[in-house]
Amino acid sequence: EGAFEADVASYYPSLILRYNIAPESAGEEFIKTYRNLLDKRLEAKKLGNKIEADSTKIILNSVFGKYNEFYSKLREPACGASVCLMGQLAILKLMDYCWFFGINVLMANTDGIITKEDPSPAIELWEKEFLMKIETKRIGRYIIKDANNVILKYTDDSTKIKGVAFNHEPDIKKTTNTQIVQKAVVEKILNGTPVEETIRNSKSVYEFLSCYVKGGTILEVKGATDANDVGEPMPNLIRFYTGKSGKTLFRRNAKNWCKIANSENFVKCNDAPLDIPN
């Protein structure tokens, strides 16, 4: 109960601008253009324009990704490594300042920390040294599985749910199978809602779906009663829910057929109905 979240605002873009970490191939206008884009994102975030803030965030972060992309004009592995190393060292320095002031750090990740006590004294020194901005929020309740899977409920009643262990919101950037499971867990933890109640109250079939995409080393996929059954050929992408079909998904590589995990009694649902089947 009770903690503080301190995240550096647009951390990797801020590091790129703070230390002018740009490949020579980017040209003289790169830093200026990149700074204008970051200012645009921070202003949109401040005004609550989530669509513009999120879209510019993707552009800003993708530039860092291009530093390590083999076919990119911006490829410069030394620049990519510099951003990562400077970022890690700066977060360690923030933790060092917390230790100096007797502030307990509960967790650290790529761009920030969670502390038990108010980290303001440490943040003040850190911002003066690194010339970057840290955003702080008061946490009323937190559940931390690991650095990549957390539930944070802030004192303003807003929440942050991060990681495949808990996230259940539709996200264009990632796929979470059977989102109803994570949703039921979160509702139980945060609000005490019985798991069965959350499941039965769901109105969307998509929350029950899993997805399998055939990889490059897989020759074919089938739905069958067992590995020796001829079964039914499946498409390269299969969406399915658990029903009463009596069939399982199997995939074949160059050697043999193998069962696809958690696909027992699957019902193919590539064209999902609007209502949940009985």
Side-chain angles (χ1 to χ4, degrees):
E1 295 287 341
F4 295 81
E5 180 188 47
D7 282 342
V8 185
S10 295
Y11 195 27
Y12 275 16
S14 296
L15 285 165
I16 289 172
L17 294 172
R18 171 69 176 84
Y19 297 102
N20 291 314
I21 307 174
E24 292 184 11
S25 61
E28 297 179 358
E29 292 295 314
F30 173 83
I31 291 296
K32 180 181 177 180
T33 303
Y34 198 69
R35 187 180 299 280
N36 289 338
L37 190 59
L38 177 58
D39 291 342
K40 182 179 180 180
R41 181 195 180 246
L42 294 178
E43 181 64 20
K45 187 176 181 181
K46 181 180 178 180
L47 296 175
N49 189 339
K50 182 174 174 58
I51 294 177
E52 184 171 344
D54 288 350
S55 61
T56 49
K57 177 182 179 181
I58 292 173
I59 298 171
L60 288 163
N61 289 342
S62 67
V63 170
F64 165 73
K66 296 297 181 182
Y67 285 1
N68 295 302
E69 187 175 312
F70 187 80
Y71 294 104
S72 174
K73 183 179 178 181
L74 296 177
R75 176 177 167 78
E76 188 63 68
C79 288
S82 295
V83 174
C84 291
L85 288 173
M86 285 303 304
Q88 291 170 2
L89 291 172
I91 291 297
L92 285 173
K93 187 62 178 178
L94 177 59
M95 295 171 67
D96 184 51
Y97 281 140
C98 287
W99 174 82
F100 178 78
F101 287 106
I103 300 166
N104 292 293
V105 177
L106 300 174
M107 188 195 77
N109 55 29
T110 303
D111 57 0
I113 59 175
I114 294 177
T115 63
K116 184 65 177 175
E117 296 81 21
D118 185 352
S120 296
I123 290 173
E124 183 178 354
L125 289 180
W126 190 91
E127 289 182 336
K128 287 181 179 179
E129 179 175 350
F130 292 95
L131 303 179
M132 288 181 279
K133 181 66 176 177
I134 288 181
E135 299 170 339
T136 306
K137 295 190 73 172
R138 184 73 182 267
I139 301 169
R141 189 179 181 194
Y142 58 89
I143 297 91
I144 301 175
K145 179 178 182 290
D146 51 53
N148 295 314
N149 292 277
V150 299
I151 301 174
L152 304 179
K153 187 166 187 177
Y154 302 105
T155 53
D156 63 2
D157 285 334
S158 62
T159 59
K160 175 192 281 188
I161 300 172
K162 177 183 177 182
V164 295
F166 302 120
N167 184 54
H168 57 274
E169 297 296 331
D171 192 335
I172 194 171
K173 295 176 290 185
K174 58 178 73 71
T175 299
T176 303
N177 288 336
T178 54
Q179 295 174 355
I180 191 64
V181 174
Q182 289 88 334
K183 183 177 182 179
V185 169
V186 171
E187 287 296 322
K188 175 66 176 178
I189 291 174
L190 290 184
N191 305 313
T193 307
V195 169
E196 184 176 346
E197 180 178 330
T198 300
I199 293 173
R200 292 192 176 278
N201 285 341
S202 175
K203 303 300 181 183
S204 172
V205 68
Y206 297 101
E207 292 185 333
F208 293 82
L209 295 185
S210 294
C211 180
Y212 175 79
V213 180
K214 183 169 77 70
T217 61
I218 303 302
L219 301 179
E220 57 181 318
V221 180
K222 68 179 179 181
T225 54
D226 57 57
N228 297 320
D229 180 17
V230 174
E232 176 189 357
M234 291 289 125
N236 291 342
L237 185 150
I238 311 155
R239 291 185 177 89
F240 62 93
Y241 60 87
T242 300
K244 299 179 180 180
S245 69
K247 295 183 178 181
T248 301
L249 286 172
F250 293 88
R251 60 188 179 188
R252 183 174 71 86
N253 55 24
K255 295 182 178 180
N256 52 28
W257 286 98
C258 298
K259 185 176 74 171
I260 295 175
N262 302 316
S263 67
E264 296 86 352
N265 291 307
F266 85 99
V267 177
K268 185 163 72 74
C269 198
N270 282 22
D271 298 319
L274 296 178
D275 299 319
I276 297 176
N278 293 323

